[in-house]
Amino acid sequence: TALFNFQSLLLVIILLVCTSTHVHQIFPAILDRNKDGLMGIFWKCARIGERLSPYVSICCVLMAV
């Protein structure tokens, strides 16, 4: 049902980016070897989280309020 509610969809995307970034910082080899295919989505989300971390943090705070 998160696909039909815009706020829930944003929350799922932000959580996916934050989780992927955290996993990449702890275990970088897992996401680096799976850059293609379905697991490539997590690698791309980790890159977004690393490069846009101030904006992702602001979004997390705004979604918490």
Side-chain angles (χ1 to χ4, degrees), residues 11 14-15 18 54-65:
L11 184 66
I14 289 171
L15 286 174
C18 291
Y55 299 112
V56 172
S57 299
I58 291 170
C59 288
C60 288
V61 170
L62 289 176
M63 291 299 288
V65 173

Side-chain angles (χ1 to χ4, degrees), residues 3-4 8 11 13 26 29 33 39 42 49 51-52 55 63:
L3 295 175
F4 301 115
S8 298
L11 184 66
I13 291 171
I26 303 268
R33 67 176 173 219
M39 293 295 288
F42 299 111
R51 294 182 180 170
L52 299 175
Y55 299 112
M63 291 299 288

